[in-house]
Amino acid sequence: MGKVYYISKNVGLGLLILAACALATIIALSIAYHKEKAKNRGKPGNEETGSSVLPSPTAAAVPKDPWDRYRLPDSIVPVAYNVTLWPRLEVNADGLYIFTGHSEVVINCVKETDLILIHSNKLNLSTFDGHHARLRGLTHATAPAIKKTWFVVATEYLVVQLSRRLSVGASYVLETVFQGELADDLEGFYRSEYIEEGVKKIVATSQMQATYARKAFPCFDEPAMKAVFNVSILHDRDKTALSNSRESGKGDFIFEGRAVRATTFEPTERMSTYLLAFIVSDFDYLQSNQLNHLSVRIWARKKAIADKQGDYALSVTGKILQFYEHYYNVKYPLSKSDQIALPDFNAGAMENWGLITYRETALLYDPLLSSTGNKERVVTVISHELAHMWFGNLVTMQWWNDLWLNEGFASYVEYLGADYAEPTWDIKDQIILYDVHKVFAVDALASSHPLSRREEEVNDPAQISEMFNTISYSKGAAVLRMLSGFLSEPVFSKGLSSYLKTFAFSNTVYTDLWDHLQQAVESTPGVDIPHTVHDIMHRWTLQMGFPVVTIDTRTGRVTQKHFLLDPESVVERPSQFNYTWFVPIKWMKNGVAQQQYWLLRKSDTHSPMRVSGVSWVLANTNVSGYFRVNYDNDNWNRLLSLLNTNHQTFSVINRAQIIDDAFNLARAKIIDTTLALRTTKYLSMERDYIPWESALRNLNYYILMFDRTEVYGALQAYLRKQILPLFEYFKMITANWNTIPSGHTEQYNQVNAIGIACSMGVASCKELTKSWFRQWMENPEHSPIHPNLKSTVYCVAIAFGGVEEWEFAWGMFKNATVAAEASRLRSAMACTKVPWLLNRYLEYTLDPTKIRKQDATSTIQYIAQNVVGLPLAWNFVRARWSYIFEQYGKGSFSFANLVSGITRRFSTEFELQELKKFKEDNLQVGFGSATLALEQAIEKTTANIKWVTDNKAQVLKWFSENS
């Protein structure tokens, strides 16, 4: 943490005068609040002291003093804030960028108390008569005198001890004046920097989720503590200020000898602190008039806007908003939708209500330099964030233990919104690869956790950050997709609409959603489910993991069992359902869809699934359910025979599923490894992306386990044989690589064909990519490489090149003006096989003048993916763990990926012992949001060791015989 300095009285008084004009608004809001409370008394979900609004205290053993607990007490609720902020975009005399501010919050007392706990972190507060805050009563209330104030660092509180108790039903105003550092730490109110036309520019911007609003101003920083926010921002006159709501006015004046502008904003809707946003910049914008009732703008660096990098985002935003208004049957809740691309931003994007912030790669698309993949990322991330405007922002989870409801829902419907915007892409199919198969890998571990954790399991900021994981996002998406599938989309959206209308501007727990979906079921004739929505879904949300369903087609017997990647691992977390699920099984027989079947117990017999001869059964069609499927050997052989003779009998999704299920069942020792490998034999005939991608992801596990052993040569030879027909196919349809395939996923598969062919040693592929890269080096202004192929070509050329290629890429990276291009180069430079270059690159990652802080941990991961870079990255991280953790690890959502990324290849006893020693040596430093990832890395490494020991010989034999 940087040094902090006390604010001068003059600055404090100036801010007080500026803020005074908004007090009338606060008082009016307070009166409106009381009227609304009286009006809503008795309505479900509107009780101000009920479970839908206030956070409940944790049930676990708690410290004796309230300020030592991470959860706020339930004695006070905020009603409205008046916040004025002044970020300084030049360093002060002490070499620091700072901001100053003033806040008044109207609070309502709902239980007698002589304590006010309000979050405040890394803020220096001015004093009033020796206290860090000032309290006064509203209307007829008389405020008690402040007895004492102090800070609690661990729980991030300002504690205000009063001389007597506050009166129940009375309202008060708590006032603070403060200063903070506008640091480059990507948290709270922070600064972002970039160079434009040789000039360094500074942006003041914010990231409040999950617990960083308290770093911008003192506030009740929990999602259920919703309030109305009146925001004013002071800034230089050549800059623009943005916040969540529309601008309501501007005023220019001279303050402390500076020409300053004050921008004020309309009062927000009732909202959570984590959704606030404040930005000051000299960015430009594009505006759309697609939606008459709504202002839609895309903001970015002036050059990015001039180069039309915001045009695509603007073109899809209106379509997606219209889709969600229809899907939810609820009008967009705000009067504007601003989206802004930031040079420095830790997450991919953040759904601040009315002012969504993005990494540049997630919002900007250059029509000349960006790839199809970049375009898809833009539309899916926009779709994800806009989904939150209703689900998450309008209606918000009560506490972070139910984060999955926000993120899982947005991760599911992002595909629906993107599909509406780009209907020819078949984007809905990709949820199988990017979410379902992805999360299966994590949820099959004994160290997984349920979607919805108990409140007492999620308390401190590190535990909250840890919830932003694959389970919350991807498992949430998978089970909600399954739920929508067995209820039907119309029933699902009917329940959603009712839920959103009932709890608008309030907070909920996940069972509130089940209530409204159940009501939709009961009010829709012909919808038949075997149990209530609650009873079915509790088994998917309150216990971790998922089942493997085994169908014996000789008898029709169907069984389920908790699927574990390591069958010898011990599951220590108990389940009230004994790890059984209510499983909706969509299935087909001989290519004909059958009536859905529900498996409601551990074992059952379903006689229609009994077949013989050449007849076959395929279950979980289009992977509609969140489970894996195993069969008797006879049925497996029939499915593999069909793959080899007529693979298009199965949909592309089911071809991918057969491969993915087989490989993972083999890893779990449920079927033989050679059976899994046999699912790849037909690939020489496969031309579709999703099955190929599924196969390559599974074969990548074999590459990671064996690329340091003698098995790798045989594996390379086999994959080279399988990929060559695909490589030649794309060479033919692109007229010897001169055009690009027309289909969206075909373009992705062309990338696969070139990437695998080159890495598996196809000579013509290596020559092709090296030639393209050399031409670019000779004429940097005109690259012959299509944007779709750049990531692959850059990596291959740098891997087979040397210092000259690396230094050229570094030069192009430093001068890149398109974020997607910079990202490709940053990844590709990790592909070099030259150890000293990799070591130097690792050093660069911790130098923000070379690699942005937002990109540091992902760059280390890229280096670790390189078989030469792995030991270098591992040594680097161990040697600098304390620094890396302090700078990047305490709250970063992506920090867990650093641990899981570096340890992916670990498969020896020596590596396991090193991992355990690393844990032991750094217990004092801590692991923050990577704590669970470290436990899972140890579990995965243990499983890898066993798997390699058991399978190495037969895998070598199989690849040798089949190549």
Side-chain angles (χ1 to χ4, degrees):
M1 175 179 130
K3 285 158 64 179
V4 288
Y5 297 87
Y6 284 97
I7 191 169
S8 72
K9 282 279 185 185
N10 288 341
V11 173
L13 287 170
L15 289 167
L16 286 176
I17 293 163
L18 183 72
C21 63
L23 184 57
T25 308
I26 294 185
I27 294 170
L29 285 164
S30 178
I31 293 166
Y33 164 81
H34 287 294
K35 285 181 179 175
E36 192 67 19
K37 178 182 175 185
K39 189 170 73 181
N40 288 325
R41 191 170 287 128
K43 288 185 183 179
N46 285 304
E47 305 89 340
E48 292 302 332
T49 57
S51 64
S52 65
V53 174
L54 290 172
S56 57
T58 60
V62 290
K64 60 178 182 175
D65 293 317
W67 51 82
D68 292 326
R69 302 170 192 166
Y70 284 98
R71 296 294 298 278
L72 286 165
D74 58 359
S75 48
I76 290 169
V77 290
V79 179
Y81 293 79
N82 183 51
V83 180
T84 302
L85 294 168
W86 185 7
R88 314 299 206 276
L89 301 189
E90 294 133 17
V91 292
N92 64 10
D94 300 298
L96 291 174
Y97 291 90
I98 65 160
F99 64 91
T100 50
H102 171 266
S103 173
E104 292 182 320
V105 53
V106 176
I107 56 175
N108 187 53
C109 176
V110 293
K111 287 184 182 178
E112 279 196 351
T113 181
D114 61 357
L115 268 185
I116 299 174
L117 300 185
I118 187 167
H119 288 109
S120 179
N121 183 29
K122 297 184 181 178
L123 294 174
N124 230 355
L125 270 63
S126 293
T127 56
F128 304 93
D129 302 320
H131 301 306
H132 295 97
R134 183 156 61 187
L135 186 71
R136 65 182 182 278
L138 270 186
T139 56
H140 303 299
T142 304
I146 294 176
K147 190 174 176 182
K148 184 182 176 187
T149 62
W150 70 95
F151 294 95
V152 183
V153 174
T155 48
E156 301 177 348
Y157 285 135
L158 165 64
V159 184
V160 181
Q161 177 81 60
L162 304 173
S163 59
R164 62 179 171 80
R165 292 173 183 269
L166 298 174
S167 302
V168 172
S171 293
Y172 305 86
V173 178
L174 184 71
E175 180 183 354
T176 52
V177 175
F178 50 89
Q179 173 180 304
E181 184 183 354
L182 198 68
D184 64 349
D185 57 1
L186 312 176
E187 299 169 356
F189 202 23
Y190 72 93
R191 79 175 186 277
S192 173
E193 301 179 1
Y194 65 100
I195 305 292
E196 195 161 74
E197 295 180 349
V199 178
K200 183 165 95 166
K201 302 284 187 77
I202 305 293
V203 177
T205 185
S206 61
Q207 167 64 20
M208 306 307 190
Q209 194 183 50
T211 57
Y212 303 131
R214 64 193 69 173
K215 201 166 162 280
F217 66 103
C219 56
F220 298 92
D221 198 12
E222 292 188 356
M225 292 292 189
K226 287 191 170 185
V228 171
F229 294 86
N230 300 274
V231 175
S232 300
I233 298 177
L234 277 66
H235 54 93
D236 293 340
R237 293 179 188 176
D238 62 345
K239 303 290 190 292
T240 300
L242 298 171
S243 191
N244 301 78
S245 50
R246 279 183 188 262
E247 182 184 302
S248 61
K250 287 178 181 171
D252 290 350
F253 55 95
I254 305 297
F255 193 58
E256 291 187 344
R258 296 180 61 168
V260 175
R261 175 167 293 163
T263 300
T264 57
F265 300 90
E266 293 175 356
T268 68
E269 296 289 356
R270 191 165 178 267
M271 61 184 282
S272 303
T273 50
Y274 80 87
L275 295 169
L276 286 166
F278 317 122
I279 297 173
V280 175
S281 73
D282 72 346
F283 283 5
D284 206 349
Y285 69 91
L286 296 165
Q287 187 158 5
S288 167
N289 300 313
Q290 285 177 324
L291 305 174
N292 295 331
H293 64 286
L294 187 63
S295 164
V296 177
R297 297 182 296 186
I298 306 295
W299 295 80
R301 292 176 290 107
K302 287 178 178 176
K303 178 163 175 47
I305 294 295
D307 290 346
K308 301 187 179 301
Q309 292 181 35
D311 289 18
Y312 178 67
L314 190 66
S315 74
V316 297
T317 295
K319 293 177 188 175
I320 294 169
L321 284 171
Q322 287 175 321
F323 169 78
Y324 285 136
E325 284 192 328
H326 176 74
Y327 182 74
Y328 295 125
N329 194 24
V330 176
K331 194 174 178 182
Y332 178 72
L334 307 179
S335 61
K336 77 164 177 99
S337 174
D338 281 331
Q339 298 177 96
I340 187 164
L342 297 166
D344 296 285
F345 191 69
N346 197 29
M350 177 60 211
E351 67 269 18
N352 313 302
W353 215 6
L355 177 53
I356 307 173
T357 44
Y358 294 82
R359 279 195 180 207
E360 290 193 337
T361 51
L363 188 66
L364 303 182
Y365 172 80
D366 187 295
L368 299 176
L369 296 173
S370 298
S371 68
T372 298
N374 298 142
K375 196 172 191 178
E376 184 180 304
R377 173 165 164 76
V378 169
V379 72
T380 53
V381 177
I382 288 174
S383 185
H384 180 103
E385 302 310 324
L386 292 178
H388 278 307
M389 299 301 105
W390 290 264
F391 206 101
N393 297 9
L394 179 63
V395 179
T396 310
M397 80 250 144
Q398 175 86 1
W399 183 241
W400 298 106
N401 62 310
D402 274 340
L403 176 73
W404 76 271
L405 203 55
N406 271 19
E407 296 301 349
F409 183 84
S411 297
Y412 165 50
V413 298
E414 74 180 51
Y415 291 95
L416 310 186
D419 181 66
Y420 183 81
E422 295 288 2
T424 64
W425 288 5
D426 293 331
I427 204 163
K428 287 194 282 190
D429 290 351
Q430 294 185 38
I431 193 172
I432 305 308
L433 292 172
Y434 300 145
D435 287 289
V436 182
H437 287 172
K438 175 183 173 184
V439 73
F440 272 162
V442 178
D443 209 19
L445 300 174
S447 55
S448 186
H449 65 84
L451 269 174
S452 195
R453 286 182 160 181
R454 297 189 305 276
E455 280 196 40
E456 59 267 26
E457 287 188 77
V458 184
N459 281 299
D460 63 53
Q463 290 170 333
I464 293 168
S465 288
E466 202 171 58
M467 292 301 292
F468 288 80
N469 59 30
T470 307
I471 296 291
S472 294
Y473 284 75
S474 297
K475 182 174 182 177
V479 299
L480 288 170
R481 174 176 174 266
M482 175 175 69
L483 172 60
S484 175
F486 70 71
L487 292 183
S488 80
E489 197 73 42
V491 172
F492 186 69
S493 54
K494 181 180 177 182
L496 283 178
S497 179
S498 165
Y499 167 84
L500 290 169
K501 288 171 181 173
T502 300
F503 296 107
F505 308 108
S506 293
N507 297 80
T508 62
V509 293
Y510 68 94
T511 51
D512 294 320
L513 178 59
W514 301 161
D515 289 342
H516 284 263
L517 290 172
Q518 184 62 32
Q519 289 166 21
V521 168
E522 290 168 2
S523 64
T524 307
V527 179
D528 182 31
I529 53 175
H531 291 278
T532 64
V533 171
H534 302 71
D535 287 345
I536 294 168
M537 295 309 295
H538 281 166
R539 291 169 180 257
W540 297 97
T541 60
L542 300 183
Q543 60 183 352
M544 69 179 191
F546 57 90
V548 52
V549 172
T550 299
I551 299 169
D552 189 336
T553 61
R554 297 165 301 184
T555 62
R557 185 173 168 77
V558 188
T559 59
Q560 62 166 295
K561 184 183 180 183
H562 182 193
F563 180 79
L564 291 167
L565 215 45
D566 177 3
E568 295 167 28
S569 58
V570 178
V571 177
E572 294 177 351
R573 184 185 286 268
S575 163
Q576 61 185 302
F577 307 109
N578 295 316
Y579 292 105
T580 59
W581 290 262
F582 293 154
V583 188
I585 302 175
K586 293 184 178 175
W587 65 290
M588 64 167 59
K589 180 158 51 175
N590 300 329
V592 179
Q594 307 293 306
Q595 185 176 350
Q596 179 172 275
Y597 160 70
W598 283 86
L599 178 60
L600 302 175
R601 55 185 71 87
K602 283 249 184 204
S603 176
D604 191 21
T605 298
H606 189 56
S607 55
M609 288 182 172
R610 189 168 62 229
V611 296
S612 58
V614 294
S615 294
W616 52 272
V617 164
L618 180 79
N620 202 14
T621 49
N622 289 326
V623 193
S624 55
Y626 184 67
F627 56 94
R628 292 202 180 279
V629 187
N630 181 35
Y631 307 96
D632 58 283
N633 268 336
D634 290 347
N635 198 65
W636 269 118
N637 286 327
R638 289 191 287 263
L639 295 178
L640 294 187
S641 175
L642 265 174
L643 269 183
N644 287 316
T645 56
N646 187 14
H647 61 274
Q648 290 178 333
T649 302
F650 309 117
S651 70
V652 289
I653 292 179
N654 281 118
R655 301 201 299 267
Q657 174 215 13
I658 289 169
I659 294 166
D660 196 67
D661 278 352
F663 271 89
N664 284 277
L665 292 168
R667 282 180 65 185
K669 300 182 182 177
I670 293 171
I671 65 172
D672 193 73
T673 298
T674 55
L675 194 159
L677 290 168
R678 283 167 57 205
T679 64
T680 68
K681 290 190 75 170
Y682 93 99
L683 286 173
S684 57
M685 299 175 286
E686 180 65 85
R687 299 293 176 264
D688 281 301
Y689 167 67
I690 289 177
W692 257 111
E693 183 67 17
S694 178
L696 292 174
R697 289 183 184 192
N698 281 289
L699 286 167
N700 190 54
Y701 177 72
Y702 285 64
I703 292 170
L704 292 172
M705 292 302 99
F706 295 127
D707 65 358
R708 296 174 289 173
T709 75
E710 70 276 21
V711 176
Y712 189 58
L715 186 158
Q716 266 193 314
Y718 174 72
L719 250 183
R720 188 162 59 239
K721 183 181 88 169
Q722 296 299 83
I723 200 73
L724 197 54
L726 191 69
F727 181 77
E728 295 296 337
Y729 167 77
F730 281 111
K731 181 180 178 181
M732 177 188 71
I733 69 165
T734 60
N736 200 21
W737 313 109
N738 286 305
T739 62
I740 289 296
S742 56
H744 182 70
T745 54
E746 246 192 340
Q747 292 178 34
Y748 287 166
N749 219 23
Q750 182 193 23
V751 176
N752 274 340
I754 292 176
I756 299 303
C758 284
S759 61
M760 292 302 121
V762 174
S764 58
C765 181
K766 283 201 282 189
E767 291 310 312
L768 177 73
T769 53
K770 284 162 67 177
S771 159
W772 279 336
F773 197 80
R774 175 57 59 183
Q775 288 175 53
W776 185 37
M777 289 174 68
E778 290 166 357
N779 188 358
E781 297 301 313
H782 296 92
S783 171
I785 311 163
H786 190 276
N788 287 359
L789 305 177
K790 283 182 174 181
S791 291
T792 298
V793 171
Y794 293 177
C795 179
V796 171
I798 289 169
F800 290 110
V803 176
E804 186 186 3
E805 285 79 4
W806 199 96
E807 294 292 359
F808 172 77
W810 177 252
M812 299 305 289
F813 168 74
K814 285 194 296 183
N815 294 318
T817 58
V818 176
E821 177 70 357
S823 180
R824 285 190 286 260
L825 287 160
R826 183 171 60 84
S827 169
M829 286 184 287
C831 298
T832 182
K833 306 298 184 189
V834 181
W836 73 264
L837 283 173
L838 290 168
N839 269 326
R840 187 180 69 176
Y841 198 25
L842 283 164
E843 295 292 342
Y844 285 3
T845 63
L846 301 188
D847 180 352
T849 66
K850 292 186 168 67
I851 300 293
R852 290 185 181 276
K853 274 195 168 184
Q854 66 175 21
D855 297 323
T857 57
S858 61
T859 306
I860 296 170
Q861 287 176 68
Y862 292 148
I863 295 167
Q865 287 171 17
N866 178 342
V867 68
V868 177
L870 170 63
L872 308 178
W874 176 224
N875 290 340
F876 179 81
V877 166
R878 283 186 296 170
R880 291 163 181 78
W881 181 255
S882 181
Y883 178 79
I884 292 171
F885 177 67
E886 185 62 36
Q887 291 293 313
Y888 305 97
K890 290 199 168 173
S892 167
F893 307 151
S894 59
F895 194 61
N897 296 337
L898 178 64
V899 171
S900 55
I902 285 182
T903 57
R904 286 172 73 210
R905 261 192 184 85
F906 284 13
S907 55
T908 67
E909 189 60 40
F910 178 69
E911 286 164 333
L912 178 62
Q913 294 312 315
E914 281 192 321
L915 195 50
K916 288 178 175 176
K917 188 171 189 307
F918 169 68
K919 177 185 173 182
E920 188 183 317
D921 290 348
N922 290 285
L923 285 173
Q924 291 301 109
V925 177
F927 303 97
S929 58
T931 303
L932 178 61
L934 181 59
E935 292 304 317
Q936 292 180 334
I938 291 170
E939 184 183 348
K940 286 179 183 176
T941 303
T942 304
N944 289 345
I945 292 166
K946 291 178 190 170
W947 186 85
V948 169
T949 302
D950 291 346
N951 290 282
K952 184 178 177 182
Q954 67 169 328
V955 167
L956 174 60
K957 182 173 184 285
W958 193 90
F959 280 131
S960 299
E961 289 173 352
N962 287 277
S963 56

